[in-house]
Amino acid sequence: MAHSNSGREIERLATLYDYRILDSDFDQQFNNLTEIASAHFGMPIALVSLIDADRQWFKAMVGLDVRQTPRRIAFCSHTIANAGQVMVVEDAYGDPRFDANPLVTGAPHIRFYAGAPIVAEDGAALGTVCVIDRVPRQFTGADCAMLQRLAENARSLMELHRRNSLLREAARSDSLTGLLNRRGLEKAIEHVLAAALAGKTCGLLYLDLDRFKHINDTHGHDAGDQVLKEVARRLQSVVRQTDLVARIGGDEFVVLLAHPVDHGALGQVASRVLAVCGRPITIDGTVIEPGLSIGGALAPRDAVVADDLLREADRALYIAKRGGRGRVAIAGPRVVGPVDRAAARESELEQAIDRDELFLEWQSCHDLPSGRVLGYEALVRWRHPQAGVIAPVNFVPLAEACGLSGRLDAWVLFNACRQGATAPAGQRLSVNMSALSITSGLVVPMVRSALDRSGLDPRRLVLEITESAAIGNEDKALEHMRQLKALGIKLALDDFGTGYASLAYLQRYPIDLVKLDQKFVAGLATDPRAQRLTQGIIHLARLLDIAVIAEGIETTTQADLLRKNGCRMGQGYLWARPSVLPWVEPPPAGG
Ligand code: C2E
Ligand code: MG
Ligand code: MG
């Protein structure tokens, strides 16, 4: 069997990991390669598959919605054992190695497979470029040669990816200690915070050497550098390997605990760091005592955005120093007393997210002429233990007002992607995002991690944002929207026509779709002005290559009028009210 634990396999994996490519984002260059392969050979499925220890992971894929499968069942794990040869399976039904394979007997129903190994310079076969069909086929010698050339291209792209990653790492590390620098830390925090928002608490410690200036002044800068290096070494030895250590200023360090911690555990780690790093250091026979103080904070309890988390920990550090040096202080839990109903709701809402009292309903979006379902929009609801089901208008604004919108958005995004991955292939899934997540940039790592964890094809995901998302923060919003687009997802402008900046917005931001507000649709049959505005919007959107979805369509008259005015998509009670997993067939009555 291809899967072996021999020394060569370990070396192969080391080579693969050195490319830093597993679990990386989608990359247009790799996507192009699979698209070319699929088009050239006329095959519905084309993949760049990398064989990890126990899985195959797809750097790029056409025609598949999952991002990985167990290695055990991967055709490609046979290809990489095949000594540099293209492996062709003309009909899996007739091949005893594959005829009972779940990828053959079930989705994606492989019949034909051809894979060329991607071989690294040291000879290690890391994965394949492969094409797959659901019917038996033949593959000529010329086809094999072409596939092999694509695999060589994939190898070159992987080299490029490695070089870029190394450059990025260098730009993100501190040259004296080799730790992350501030920029590197900020990136790292974003990733860890995305996981924190999905329910895993994480912690951050902010350290400051107590009398570093004094050390520099009395022992010289070289001694100062030695102290910093030694503290860096000790820090790394005292935390887990997966935790991140950064030096973000002259004598300021940060430890990001990337594993779940609570208040108590964070305090314990801080005390251990204090004890180990505070021990005397001997430099050229001189004993130096590097006293330090530590402040700590927890996400998402104290903050959901990188800047805020650092600020909270820094504030705790200040408290530690005020209490006398050589101390630890952890930010205190926010006191939320049920002073009045709103405050009570606020703390209830925080718990609701943790306790899974939220749930999603989906409303279908339809092709206007034919009525065909094109996709679904996720709409959040809160099943309150006493008050019953609460509509989003009654708690989404509250979440925004009390700093919970990041956690709410993260919850919705994760769950929408997970559920959405079970919707029929090709259908688009829309998710509403609060303005704050867009301006803070939190949305970018959130989307990345939701896509990765759910395996949802980014091309199926649409984020719905409102015009207010950019108010007062245009450049930031634009930058984050571009980053989102680079992930391969689409952006929709929700409630279009209700805000003040609509038209300028369409020109400036990379919007793919606008959702024409219900207000226009409601006025359509009676109000000539609404009709003219609607026509204008549809016309303008078409010029800008932006699709229009009309919302809140309740009657066939409205649907007909919209269609006549050139609108191709619609959503509303005419077809369906929002419901739980509408694409799942209800069990037959009585069954
Ligand atoms: P929206 O994104 O514009 O969603 C459309 C709203 O119109 C939904 O209300 C939907 O149930 C309702 N609707 C759909 N078809 C019709 C129709 O034919 N007639 C009428 N009268 N109404 C229709 P819902 O679910 O109460 O959501 C209200 C708003 O709350 C949403 O407006 C959206 O802005 C916000 N929201 C909902 N879910 C989320 C979420 O997960 N995150 C965030 N940040 N906001 C959300
Ligand atoms: Mg919406
Ligand atoms: Mg809307």
Side-chain angles (χ1 to χ4, degrees):
M1 179 68 216
H3 192 167
S4 98
N5 272 323
S6 66
R8 280 189 54 195
E9 171 63 5
I10 292 168
E11 273 168 32
R12 190 191 74 78
L13 286 173
T15 305
L16 175 62
Y17 295 159
D18 190 41
Y19 279 91
R20 296 158 165 78
I21 196 163
L22 289 174
D23 297 311
S24 58
D25 294 336
F26 281 103
D27 177 331
Q28 194 53 46
Q29 286 183 292
F30 282 92
N31 292 349
N32 289 345
L33 198 133
T34 44
E35 260 151 41
I36 290 169
S38 160
H40 175 81
F41 296 109
M43 306 262 180
I45 298 173
L47 309 165
V48 174
S49 163
L50 298 170
I51 307 292
D52 195 359
D54 52 9
R55 60 173 179 160
Q56 69 169 334
W57 178 82
F58 305 133
K59 175 63 192 168
M61 67 256 194
V62 166
L64 263 197
D65 266 349
V66 292
R67 205 116 199 236
Q68 59 186 38
T69 80
R71 177 174 177 169
R72 210 165 19 81
I73 59 172
F75 280 57
C76 298
S77 55
H78 292 262
T79 308
I80 66 161
N82 219 6
Q85 301 289 311
V86 174
M87 183 176 88
V88 179
V89 179
E90 292 188 342
D91 188 356
Y93 281 10
D95 190 322
R97 289 174 301 173
F98 301 113
D99 56 4
N101 185 305
L103 302 175
V104 175
T105 57
H109 300 285
I110 301 178
R111 284 294 286 274
F112 171 86
Y113 168 96
I118 300 172
V119 183
E121 224 155 53
D122 64 0
L126 307 175
T128 77
V129 173
C130 67
V131 286
I132 288 169
D133 207 338
R134 298 190 177 88
V135 292
R137 302 227 353 205
Q138 283 172 350
F139 215 58
T140 64
D143 289 338
C144 287
M146 177 67 185
L147 196 61
Q148 217 146 14
R149 232 173 296 149
L150 290 175
E152 279 156 26
N153 277 335
R155 216 281 302 268
S156 310
L157 289 179
M158 284 174 67
E159 296 290 352
L160 205 65
H161 177 93
R162 172 169 53 189
R163 218 161 309 147
N164 288 340
S165 306
L166 286 174
L167 284 176
R168 265 200 306 272
E169 277 166 30
R172 284 175 191 172
S173 65
D174 166 40
S175 55
L176 178 69
T177 59
L179 299 177
L180 288 175
N181 60 19
R182 179 179 274 276
R183 222 177 113 212
L185 177 74
E186 279 166 2
K187 284 278 163 224
I189 296 185
E190 276 179 15
H191 277 274
V192 173
L193 273 180
L197 287 164
K200 290 192 204 132
T201 304
C202 72
L204 183 142
L205 298 176
Y206 204 124
L207 287 72
D208 186 84
L209 297 188
D210 284 338
R211 280 179 311 267
F212 187 66
K213 188 176 174 315
H214 176 74
I215 295 174
N216 262 338
D217 291 348
T218 46
H219 303 282
H221 284 273
D222 280 350
D225 285 355
Q226 296 298 321
V227 168
L228 293 173
K229 279 197 208 170
E230 178 58 16
V231 170
R233 198 192 59 76
R234 290 180 182 183
L235 270 176
Q236 276 175 306
S237 70
V238 78
V239 299
R240 293 192 195 181
Q241 217 159 27
T242 47
D243 295 341
L244 294 166
V245 183
R247 175 170 166 243
I248 60 168
D251 62 346
E252 290 175 335
F253 294 85
V254 164
V255 179
L256 181 63
L257 297 114
H259 57 86
V261 278
D262 57 16
H263 193 96
L266 188 63
Q268 280 169 13
V269 177
S271 305
R272 204 166 66 224
V273 168
L274 194 67
V276 172
C277 295
R279 284 184 201 143
I281 300 173
T282 311
I283 291 163
D284 297 333
T286 315
V287 176
I288 297 173
E289 294 206 15
L292 68 158
S293 306
I294 304 180
L298 288 169
R301 191 196 67 189
D302 304 320
V304 292
V305 182
D307 283 351
D308 293 352
L309 187 61
L310 275 166
R311 193 172 338 106
E312 286 304 313
D314 190 19
R315 197 175 292 165
L317 173 66
Y318 174 74
I319 293 168
K321 289 195 160 187
R322 219 177 36 189
R325 285 150 197 264
R327 284 170 193 257
V328 170
I330 307 290
R334 243 177 311 146
V335 194
V336 266
V339 183
D340 52 34
R341 231 178 108 232
R345 270 283 139 88
E346 175 180 332
S347 70
E348 281 176 3
L349 180 57
E350 195 164 2
Q351 291 171 359
I353 302 174
D354 296 334
R355 291 186 191 155
D356 264 350
E357 287 171 12
L358 302 180
F359 67 101
L360 294 177
E361 287 191 326
W362 297 83
Q363 187 180 37
S364 49
C365 168
H366 297 258
D367 177 56
L368 271 186
S370 69
R372 194 164 53 87
V373 175
L374 300 171
Y376 296 91
E377 173 179 6
L379 297 157
V380 67
R381 280 92 180 82
W382 175 9
R383 190 176 288 109
H384 189 280
Q386 281 87 42
V389 174
I390 303 180
V393 280
N394 293 322
F395 67 91
V396 170
L398 173 67
E400 297 191 356
C402 63
L404 286 173
S405 60
R407 291 181 66 190
L408 177 72
D409 284 350
W411 186 94
V412 170
L413 197 53
F414 277 108
N415 288 282
C417 287
R418 211 180 44 199
Q419 292 182 8
T422 68
Q427 287 181 345
R428 269 199 309 249
L429 292 319
S430 299
V431 180
N432 293 284
M433 278 291 114
S434 69
L436 186 72
S437 291
I438 305 287
T439 40
S440 72
L442 199 61
V443 66
V444 182
M446 243 155 51
V447 168
R448 204 181 283 139
S449 109
L451 286 171
D452 268 358
R453 290 170 43 160
S454 62
L456 183 75
D457 181 346
R459 288 167 297 189
R460 296 178 64 188
L461 182 63
V462 182
L463 286 197
E464 296 194 2
I465 60 182
T466 54
E467 287 169 34
S468 58
I471 289 174
N473 238 325
E474 278 84 2
D475 294 339
K476 271 253 155 72
L478 182 60
E479 183 193 327
H480 299 143
M481 287 186 209
R482 288 202 176 122
Q483 289 169 358
L484 287 170
K485 295 280 302 182
L487 295 176
I489 70 167
K490 295 192 172 55
L491 296 179
L493 195 55
D494 206 350
D495 304 337
F496 187 75
T498 55
Y500 75 100
S502 310
L503 299 181
Y505 214 102
L506 290 187
Q507 295 262 357
R508 173 135 200 242
Y509 297 99
I511 301 288
D512 304 280
L513 292 146
V514 298
K515 300 195 74 172
L516 189 62
D517 195 68
Q518 319 197 345
K519 198 176 71 184
F520 288 101
V521 176
L524 217 51
T526 48
D527 178 0
R529 202 174 148 267
Q531 218 180 105
R532 275 200 304 279
L533 262 171
T534 306
Q535 276 168 352
I537 291 172
I538 293 167
H539 179 68
L540 178 83
R542 188 175 296 155
L543 291 179
L544 295 170
D545 210 17
I546 296 173
V548 179
I549 301 179
E551 285 191 281
I553 303 180
E554 295 184 351
T555 65
T556 42
T557 318
Q558 289 168 342
D560 288 342
L561 270 170
L562 283 159
R563 192 165 37 79
K564 275 193 203 119
N565 284 309
C567 182
R568 305 226 176 94
M569 294 182 275
Q571 200 177 320
Y573 296 165
L574 172 62
W575 295 280
R577 291 190 176 246
S579 65
V580 174
L581 294 177
W583 53 83
V584 176
E585 296 270 331

